[in-house]
């Protein structure tokens, strides 16, 4: 049997033994490498396939496409996704699916037309490319412009009565056209997209405005923002798509423009608010340059609410 003295001696010896070395610390987890986002592109009227990457907004996208084909960025009027045709359902908006193929439509012939405004509405829906060009997205059947055969969907509006509008946003151009006096002729200087042989003669006018085609492939899209950097996001939910479609319809009926990115931004803003008054204040802070009228904001709030109910 151990005596108390023996136990104390062993305890003292144990205290003199060196402590075991500490186990090596776990190395910090390496940051997840962001995948390179490389997109394929062609000129819509015909070209070899190029590859582009490293853009964060529409202007940078146009610059990358221009660099790939040795042209000036200002030659690009707009882009479509997965179709070389002037198809407004395939128009590049605020999102690009990670597997989408980008077709760039470049400047073709310039033409001037004279129009007499015999009614309040010309029958045009305007959008813009996010880089300084406004163009015609829709022509209403039976309208004033519908009777002017030289005017086509996809034509960029370069000047009104010799006043250049390059650099103006779509809502500014739509306002200028609305404010033109009735019964007086005016001139439009238009630039049509350069067309391949199989696209010559295409006018693409429809009395209906179909739902915007999805521009996503797979589960993620590249979201382009006019202010800020591009982000990879999940494909919009059913509610977000339906709400954005309804808001885009309201933009057309109130302002004569279509802009899926603007509609999507308004839907995102609504998710941060709980009342129409708060929604209006947030819109003023992020989209104040549009000066949306109160009745329009109320309609948008109601449309988003209806989309939420419809999608459960």
């Amino acid at each position: 049997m151990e005596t108390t003295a023996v136990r104390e001696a062993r305890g003292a010896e144990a205290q003199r033994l060196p402590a075991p070395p500490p186990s090596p610390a776990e190395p910090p987890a390496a940051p997840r490498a962001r995948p390179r986002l490389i997109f394929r592109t062609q000129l819509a009227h015909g070209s070899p396939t190029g590859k582009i990457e490293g853009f964060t907004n529409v202007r940078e996208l146009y610059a990358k496409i221009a660099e790939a084909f040795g042209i000036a960025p200002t030659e690009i009027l707009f882009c479509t996704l997965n179709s070389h045709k002037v198809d407004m359902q395939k128009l590049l908006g605020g999102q690009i699916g990670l597997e989408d193929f980008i077709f760039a439509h470049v400047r073709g012939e310039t033409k001037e037309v004279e129009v007499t405004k015999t009614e309040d509405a010309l029958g045009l829906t305007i959008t813009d490319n996010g880089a300084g060009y406004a163009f015609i997205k829709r022509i209403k059947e039976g309208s004033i412009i519908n009777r002017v055969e030289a005017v086509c969907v996809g034509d960029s509006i370069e000047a009104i009565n010799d006043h250049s509008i390059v650099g103006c946003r779509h809502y500014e151009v739509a306002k200028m056209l609305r404010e033109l006096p009735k019964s007086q002729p005016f001139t439009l200087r238009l630039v049509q997209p350069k067309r391949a042989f199989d696209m010559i003669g295409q006018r693409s006018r429809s009395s209906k405005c179909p739902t915007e085609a999805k521009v996503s492939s797979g589960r993620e899209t590249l979201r382009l923002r006019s202010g800020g950097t591009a982000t990879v996001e999940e494909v919009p939910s059913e509610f977000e798509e339906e709400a954005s479609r309804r808001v885009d319809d309201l933009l057309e009926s109130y302002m004569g423009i279509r802009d899926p990115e603007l509609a999507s931004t308004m839907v995102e803003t609504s998710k941060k608010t709980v009342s129409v008054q708060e929604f209006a204040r947030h819109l003023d802070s992020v989209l104040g340059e549009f000066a949306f009228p109160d009745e329009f904001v109320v309609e948008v709030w109601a449309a988003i609410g209806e989309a939420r109910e419809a999608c459960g």
Side-chain angles (χ1 to χ4, degrees):
M1 178 178 290
E2 288 185 338
T3 65
T4 301
V6 171
R7 286 198 299 271
E8 289 177 353
R10 286 188 174 179
E13 183 67 23
Q15 290 178 2
R16 288 194 295 271
L17 293 175
S23 59
E26 290 290 330
R32 183 183 175 185
R34 182 177 177 179
R36 290 176 64 191
L37 301 179
I38 301 175
F39 295 87
R40 294 172 298 158
T41 183
Q42 286 182 0
L43 300 180
H45 63 278
S47 75
T49 298
K51 293 184 178 181
I52 56 173
E53 62 178 312
F55 54 89
T56 62
N57 55 50
V58 172
R59 288 183 183 274
E60 291 181 6
L61 166 63
Y62 284 13
K64 292 290 185 180
I65 294 174
E67 181 182 356
F69 296 111
I71 61 176
T74 52
E75 287 293 301
I76 301 173
L77 298 179
F78 57 86
C79 294
T80 50
L81 299 174
N82 306 315
S83 173
H84 70 285
K85 296 181 179 180
V86 181
D87 185 348
M88 294 295 105
Q89 295 186 62
K90 304 292 186 181
L91 192 66
L92 185 150
Q95 297 183 13
I96 307 174
L98 299 188
E99 296 179 5
D100 281 341
F101 200 112
I102 303 170
F103 290 90
H105 298 255
V106 302
R107 293 173 62 93
E109 295 182 5
T110 299
K111 54 193 176 184
E112 282 202 1
V113 297
E114 184 176 282
V115 183
T116 299
K117 190 176 181 181
T118 56
E119 304 169 23
D120 290 332
L122 292 170
L124 286 177
T125 297
I126 310 296
T127 191
D128 65 40
N129 67 357
Y133 289 144
F135 58 94
I136 299 169
K137 187 168 185 179
R138 178 174 173 256
I139 298 174
K140 185 177 180 181
E141 197 72 36
S143 65
I144 297 171
I145 293 296
N146 184 231
R147 297 191 288 271
V148 183
E149 284 296 324
V151 181
C152 299
V153 167
D155 286 352
S156 171
I157 304 176
E158 192 169 66
I160 301 173
N161 286 332
D162 290 327
H163 172 69
S164 174
I165 61 164
V166 174
C168 295
R169 293 298 313 275
H170 46 23
Y171 65 92
E172 296 172 314
V173 177
K175 184 172 183 289
M176 293 177 199
L177 293 172
R178 282 198 306 270
E179 292 177 348
L180 288 170
K182 288 176 64 174
S183 304
Q184 292 187 19
F186 65 93
T187 59
L188 291 175
R189 184 162 72 243
L190 307 170
V191 180
Q192 68 183 36
K194 191 171 185 179
R195 299 174 188 270
F197 180 78
D198 65 340
M199 298 160 65
I200 294 174
Q202 176 180 323
R203 198 173 185 209
S204 300
R205 52 180 74 247
S206 170
S207 60
K208 297 181 180 179
C209 188
T211 301
E212 298 293 327
K214 295 181 182 178
V215 295
S216 59
S217 299
R219 296 179 57 252
E220 293 182 319
T221 63
L222 183 67
R223 175 77 184 274
L224 302 177
R225 302 178 187 275
S226 54
T229 58
T231 54
V232 176
E233 299 181 355
E234 292 293 315
V235 171
S237 66
E238 180 186 2
F239 155 69
E240 290 168 332
E241 287 190 340
E242 175 63 16
S244 295
R245 183 190 66 79
R246 295 185 184 215
V247 173
D248 206 19
D249 288 346
L250 286 172
L251 285 170
E252 180 175 26
S253 63
Y254 269 82
M255 303 176 66
I257 64 173
R258 289 194 79 87
D259 189 333
E261 182 187 1
L262 175 59
S264 178
T265 299
M266 297 176 80
V267 172
E268 282 188 8
T269 302
S270 75
K271 292 193 282 187
K272 306 170 187 174
T273 61
V274 296
S275 69
V276 66
Q277 293 82 7
E278 187 182 6
F279 178 53
R281 289 195 297 272
H282 276 67
L283 284 182
D284 282 342
S285 65
V286 298
L287 298 169
E289 70 272 18
F290 288 90
F292 296 124
D294 291 342
E295 63 270 20
F296 173 73
V297 174
V298 172
E299 288 262 17
V300 168
W301 178 259
I304 293 172
E306 290 167 2
R308 186 175 287 107
E309 291 179 5
C311 297

